[in-house]
Amino acid sequence: MTLAGFTAIRPFRAPWHVRVGWLALFIYLAYATSHLELTWPRFLQGIGNGATFIGRMLPPNFERWELLLKGMAESLEMAIVASFLGIVLSLPLSVLAARNLMPAVVTWPVRMLIMLCRSFHPVIVAIIFVKAVGFGALAGIAALTVASVGFLGKLFTEAIEEISLKQIEAVRATGASFMNTIVFGVIPQVMFRFIGFSAYETDANLRNSTMVGIVGAGGIGGTLFAAFQRFDYDFVFAILLAIIALIMVGEVLQIQIKRVFKQ
Amino acid sequence: MLIIRNLSKSYVAGTPVLKDISIEIAPRGVTAIIGPSGTGKSTLVRCINLLVEPTAGEIVFEGRDIAHLRGQPLREVRRKMGMVFQEYNLVERLTVMENLLTGRLGYTSAWDSFRRRFDPADIEHAFRLLDHVGLASFANTRADRLSGGQRQRVGIARALMQKPALLLADEPTSSLDPKTSVEIMQLMCGLAEENQIPVMINMHDVELAKRFANRILGMSGGRIVYDGPPEGLDENMLKTIYGGEGWLA
């Protein structure tokens, strides 16, 4: 018995296509960097500008606190209303999209609709709604609702598809109607996950509601954008601090909601 | 009471699980179906309340053929058949009381059940049944906190909440220890006798079947090969039903 045949083979040698892959990546990176004019002097100059910018942000200026508060309140209202609408719309849609409850003729179109809602970033959807219904909170609420349906619709559907069918079978065996089976067989199994998802989506809406204003869809984002354009960097900083505070409050609330509904 | 004529079921076309089964169930008494795994015992029981739709044949319940019912008429028939499951199939996240009231869903609108507005008479009935199965103090306990034996007691109470005309049981004791198995069989057959309901049980345990049933159906290869009293079930018959003989001590 000889092992002579194996000595010629070097272990751990990268196959040729892996080498080619790495080479291609480096060539592309070099091309992209040169193409985008990423040069060292520009970077140094940018750092200088950044320092000036931060200098002008400090200290934060809360003089126009009424404007700030109005924008924040509008963002909060948009987030809450859009989350509520998103949850209410996602509940029936997820039942219709669940492949263990509905035939394919029903699930496919509903799945397409949910996927469509998730295809675009809320800001892009907001631009469309601003064009459709005009500037203001209505466009923002519509955009955030669409985003919520895209996200919650998918998560709710997946939760429903993972339930135990044995429990459903027992409920059906009692002569319960479809709606009764949903109420006593499906909802108890998915309720707690739905609450978790909804709290998470409300948190996401809170963040997005501060952003859609940049394209004119209401909320603090509009105020922020205007302050940027007028070089009121100290006011910009005040707005950023307020947004951070809002997100932190949202985080605490989310934790509390999950704790109350735990298990 | 219940007449099954020429019942066949194939999940895959051409490979029938049940082959031309005809039986008649009397309005009283316990019928046990025994036979090796995969012989269609479960399918037979599920065909009766149409959780599985038969491929061919008739199921005559209270004087009419129900084999191809759908929608509301099907639900009305199911309301009259209680079912007890091997793995209890309780809704885990609901309380014991809610699980019992599941047995009344056939008579309750979804809006009412959503708000937990059940007929006070049903709730009273549920408390009486809970007392009967020895779980009176567990009404507000969530089902996932119960032991196997307790769960099956809830399962039996849920089936009886329907005030059924027929009680079906699919291996009700296969997940339980021997002592609890006997207790569950005693409880189920006792309550059925008390309420004058016929029972159809499919089970693995031949001794338990002989002890509680007054009629045994032996199934093999999708057919009924024995139909008679427990006393007639001798070694030869068991060989016919289960095949081989090495397992017979």
Side-chain angles (χ1 to χ4, degrees):
Chain A
M1 196 94 174
T2 171
L3 288 171
F6 290 97
T7 50
I9 301 168
R10 275 201 285 150
F12 314 125
R13 186 178 169 176
W16 66 269
H17 52 268
V18 173
R19 293 171 171 222
V20 170
W22 278 109
L23 192 66
L25 177 65
F26 282 121
I27 291 173
Y28 183 77
L29 281 176
Y31 165 75
T33 343
S34 66
H35 185 70
L36 296 171
E37 295 173 43
L38 300 175
T39 58
W40 195 241
R42 263 198 70 186
F43 182 67
L44 290 180
Q45 195 191 348
I47 284 184
N49 283 345
T52 324
F53 174 58
I54 289 172
R56 286 182 60 184
M57 277 178 129
L58 292 169
N61 180 353
F62 286 97
E63 250 170 45
R64 278 180 284 166
W65 59 272
E66 280 170 319
L67 195 61
L68 173 67
L69 214 61
K70 189 170 158 281
M72 292 302 288
E74 194 173 64
S75 274
L76 184 68
E77 287 156 14
M78 280 162 56
I80 301 290
V81 173
S83 301
F84 179 78
L85 289 176
I87 293 164
V88 168
L89 288 172
S90 297
L91 288 173
L93 285 179
S94 59
V95 170
L96 293 174
R99 280 176 290 206
N100 51 355
L101 298 181
M102 288 284 165
V105 270
V106 181
T107 62
W108 269 104
V110 180
R111 282 171 168 269
M112 290 293 280
L113 176 71
I114 292 171
M115 205 190 73
L116 197 71
C117 289
R118 211 176 48 250
S119 306
F120 301 107
H121 192 277
V123 170
I124 295 178
V125 183
I127 292 172
I128 297 168
F129 276 111
V130 166
K131 295 288 175 202
V133 302
F135 290 103
L138 179 60
I141 289 172
L144 294 177
T145 304
V146 167
S148 302
V149 169
F151 186 77
L152 291 177
K154 184 181 164 72
L155 290 178
F156 284 6
T157 303
E158 281 173 2
I160 292 176
E161 285 179 345
E162 284 165 15
I163 61 174
S164 152
L165 288 178
K166 292 187 173 197
Q167 300 176 30
I168 302 296
E169 184 184 43
V171 177
R172 279 176 61 215
T174 67
S177 65
F178 179 77
M179 282 313 290
N180 261 324
T181 310
I182 299 287
V183 171
F184 259 68
V186 178
I187 292 178
Q189 293 192 59
V190 296
M191 181 76 163
F192 298 95
R193 294 186 68 194
F194 277 20
I195 288 168
F197 292 146
S198 300
Y200 185 76
E201 180 58 20
T202 307
D203 186 57
N205 278 339
L206 216 51
R207 269 179 290 116
N208 287 336
S209 73
T210 61
M211 192 167 59
V212 290
I214 292 172
V215 294
I220 191 70
T223 319
L224 180 66
F225 193 55
F228 260 120
Q229 299 237 297
R230 296 194 316 207
F231 309 108
D232 292 338
Y233 294 134
D234 48 357
F235 187 41
V236 164
F237 193 45
I239 294 171
L240 293 181
L241 287 178
I243 292 175
I244 293 170
L246 180 69
I247 301 302
M248 281 171 74
V249 170
E251 183 76 31
V252 171
L253 275 179
Q254 194 193 341
I255 291 168
Q256 289 302 324
I257 289 172
K258 281 190 179 165
R259 184 174 296 163
V260 169
F261 288 102
K262 197 151 188 189
Q263 290 172 345
Chain B
M1 172 68 219
L2 179 75
I3 303 164
I4 296 173
R5 285 198 200 107
N6 311 107
L7 177 73
S8 296
K9 171 66 190 175
S10 327
Y11 290 102
V12 181
T15 50
V17 179
L18 296 179
K19 297 168 191 162
D20 197 29
I21 287 186
S22 296
I23 39 173
E24 193 167 330
I25 302 296
R28 296 285 289 277
V30 177
T31 306
I33 308 165
I34 60 168
S37 303
T39 194
K41 305 190 296 290
S42 235
T43 303
L44 175 58
V45 169
R46 280 175 161 71
C47 275
I48 294 170
N49 63 357
L50 296 158
L51 285 176
V52 170
E53 199 186 339
T55 310
E58 281 178 27
I59 297 166
V60 180
F61 179 69
E62 295 183 334
R64 77 182 169 139
D65 182 14
I66 60 166
H68 300 286
L69 288 185
R70 282 169 188 277
Q72 188 57 30
L74 166 61
R75 291 195 286 272
E76 276 166 21
V77 167
R78 277 186 183 153
R79 296 198 303 209
K80 295 180 190 162
M81 300 181 181
M83 185 151 182
V84 178
F85 298 84
Q86 176 181 356
E87 288 171 57
Y88 333 120
N89 295 18
L90 305 181
V91 182
E92 299 280 307
R93 297 266 191 182
L94 293 183
T95 64
V96 167
M97 179 50 77
E98 286 171 317
N99 268 291
L100 254 65
L101 289 170
T102 305
R104 299 310 293 172
L105 285 181
Y107 301 91
T108 313
S109 77
W111 178 233
D112 281 344
S113 71
F114 180 71
R115 295 177 299 158
R116 303 296 190 264
R117 292 270 178 91
F118 286 90
D119 187 340
D122 288 340
I123 296 173
E124 204 186 311
H125 184 211
F127 274 116
R128 269 204 310 275
L129 268 174
L130 268 190
D131 197 32
H132 245 92
V133 302
L135 292 173
S137 58
F138 289 83
N140 292 318
T141 307
R142 233 166 63 179
D144 55 8
R145 301 248 186 275
L146 302 179
S147 70
Q150 289 172 329
R151 284 176 197 217
Q152 198 58 294
R153 287 164 190 272
V154 175
I156 292 168
R158 171 175 67 187
L160 289 168
M161 272 305 286
Q162 293 173 237
K163 302 198 176 104
L166 169 69
L167 191 59
L168 304 169
D170 183 25
E171 311 218 2
T173 61
S174 294
S175 305
L176 301 170
D177 67 68
K179 177 166 168 281
T180 312
S181 295
V182 171
E183 288 168 2
I184 288 293
M185 287 300 290
Q186 269 169 345
L187 181 70
M188 189 165 67
C189 297
L191 279 169
E193 183 57 39
E194 214 174 283
N195 293 287
Q196 312 191 347
I197 313 166
V199 192
M200 265 184 95
I201 312 174
N202 103 51
M203 53 198 317
H204 270 304
D205 190 329
V206 178
E207 289 312 308
L208 211 57
K210 279 178 164 177
R211 181 166 161 188
F212 285 96
N214 50 18
R215 179 182 177 190
I216 304 269
L217 295 174
M219 279 183 74
S220 184
R223 289 179 203 281
I224 293 194
V225 294
Y226 177 82
D227 182 355
E231 300 80 43
L233 207 61
D234 55 16
E235 275 200 11
N236 271 328
M237 205 59 238
L238 287 173
K239 277 182 214 163
T240 312
I241 296 170
Y242 289 96
E245 53 191 277
W247 59 278
L248 285 166

